[in-house]
Amino acid sequence: MTAPSETAGHGDRAGGPGTHRVWVELGDRGYPVDIGPGVRRTLPEVVARISASRVVIVSARPEDDAVPDPGVPALRVAARDGEPDKNLANVQALCERFAAFGLTRTDAVVSCGGGTTTDVVGLAAALYHRGIAVIHLPTSLLAQVDASVGGKTAVNLPAGKNLVGAYWQPSAVLCDTDYLATLPAREWTNGYGEIARAHFIGAGDLRGRPVEEQIARSVALKASVVARDERDSGLRHILNYGHTLGHALEIVTGFEVRHGEGVAVGTVFAGRLAAALGLIDDRRADEHFEVVSHYGLPTALPAGADTAALVAAMRLDKKSTNTGKSTNTGLTFVLDSADGPRLVPDVPADLVVATLGAMEREAA
């Protein structure tokens, strides 16, 4: 499939020349994603557009100007990015702050932070009063490329990632690339894992493009998929390319492997597994390695990652279902093929183990 082109150059509406706007087409629940330097400054316009009379700003950024004055009474709540805080306890704590401030169904919540903050705040907004408006100001490359768009909100359980959540679309997303100036190198790597995997699901070759274009093209691809399959009934599975092993690596290493790093390794693995199944040829499998390597991403399994533990974690993936077949393995992957990416259930466990065994390992 091919990603639609994004709209560019909206002047003041999208933060000035050189910015991009992608529209997520969901009827009366559709919303804009503005991408580029300075787009956070349009927050008061967004708040006015949705007629919120007060907002709660939940921010993981310490700077005073990280979130502009929204133009209405606001409560600012500090948050922390990171998987340890991505849990139901924090969702409840936020909802209690919303209630204490007197938020009603006609008000709004603003998130400012990375992907974990976006997920926690998004889920709290989905649950409070059975749903209030949320505006995302994602501050990491990973959150701008992926987590802030599409309406998936979730938190973790000890049993696995993102097992408790809801679909709740934002009212707007402001991907201000000025936030990225202070990102440490590892956070850039974390985001590029999602951009690398987008190469294989329709975004095209983004290597060497300006970061604003890389984000916009990735978001445009996701928006096109979400518009056709909002709730993961089919097509949206392709967005999880590389994620089955990626999530397993996060879990097995106690999140020492970051999300984008895991997706990068999972993308290389997906190419090799697809080749082992005869879905693609070796040249296409090698392209997975080449694209992931181009972005400076990891391509090898961690030295201490136990193969049996990885397979067990992959069986807990949300895409895995009981097909009722006697051959059901509980191992489901999104894999490349001659006809494009598709969901492949019941992949033989011995083939998964063998493909993992052939993967390079990092030095101990």
Side-chain angles (χ1 to χ4, degrees), residues 1-5 195-206 217-218 220-222 224-225 228 238-239 241 284 336 340-341:
M1 63 174 294
T2 302
S5 59
I195 291 173
R197 76 85 170 87
H199 180 106
F200 300 99
I201 58 175
D205 193 346
L206 302 179
R217 291 268 294 276
S218 298
L221 168 65
K222 185 168 187 177
S224 72
V225 172
R228 286 178 282 172
I238 71 167
L239 298 175
Y241 201 87
R284 178 66 168 174
D336 199 6

Side-chain angles (χ1 to χ4, degrees), residues 95-112:
C95 289
E96 289 173 353
R97 297 296 298 270
F98 299 167
F101 189 58
L103 282 194
T104 69
R105 276 185 172 178
T106 59
D107 295 322
V109 181
V110 176
S111 78
C112 178

Side-chain angles (χ1 to χ4, degrees), residues 6 59-60 78 87 97 123 179 195 208 214 241 263 294 300 304 319 326:
E6 70 282 351
S59 178
N87 54 53
R97 297 296 298 270
L123 183 56
Y179 285 131
I195 291 173
Q214 291 174 328
Y241 201 87
V263 169
H294 168 84
K319 295 186 296 300
S326 60

Side-chain angles (χ1 to χ4, degrees), residues 98-260:
F98 299 167
F101 189 58
L103 282 194
T104 69
R105 276 185 172 178
T106 59
D107 295 322
V109 181
V110 176
S111 78
C112 178
T116 54
T117 296
T118 299
D119 265 352
V120 172
V121 176
L123 183 56
L127 298 176
Y128 183 72
H129 279 310
R130 298 187 179 90
I132 63 172
V134 62
I135 303 161
H136 293 313
L137 277 64
T139 62
S140 70
L141 181 58
L142 177 64
Q144 293 190 4
V145 166
D146 184 53
S148 61
V149 178
K152 274 189 177 181
T153 71
V155 294
N156 302 335
L157 295 178
K161 274 181 64 73
N162 300 330
L163 293 183
V164 178
Y167 292 92
W168 189 246
Q169 299 294 342
S171 296
V173 181
L174 304 177
C175 296
D176 193 330
T177 52
D178 286 343
Y179 285 131
L180 306 180
T182 58
L183 285 187
R186 196 174 182 192
E187 281 301 326
W188 281 95
T189 301
N190 205 25
Y192 272 117
E194 294 285 355
I195 291 173
R197 76 85 170 87
H199 180 106
F200 300 99
I201 58 175
D205 193 346
L206 302 179
R207 288 174 286 183
R209 302 286 186 175
V211 68
E212 290 86 1
E213 183 181 346
Q214 291 174 328
I215 296 168
R217 291 268 294 276
S218 298
V219 169
L221 168 65
K222 185 168 187 177
S224 72
V225 172
V226 169
R228 286 178 282 172
D229 180 18
E230 182 180 1
R231 293 178 174 264
D232 257 349
S233 61
L235 177 64
R236 189 163 176 168
H237 288 316
I238 71 167
L239 298 175
N240 288 315
Y241 201 87
H243 283 58
T244 305
L245 177 59
H247 284 164
L249 285 167
E250 290 180 81
I251 294 165
V252 167
T253 64
F255 297 102
E256 289 182 13
V257 170
R258 306 291 297 278
H259 177 74

Side-chain angles (χ1 to χ4, degrees), residues 21 49-50 57 59-60 67-68 71 76 81 83 91 198 236 247 281-282 301 305 316 320 352 357:
R21 170 166 287 180
R49 173 173 61 80
I50 64 176
I57 297 168
S59 178
V67 181
R76 293 178 182 254
D81 277 323
E83 295 290 338
V91 172
R236 189 163 176 168
H247 284 164
D281 59 24
D282 289 341
L301 293 170
L316 295 173
S320 296
V352 172

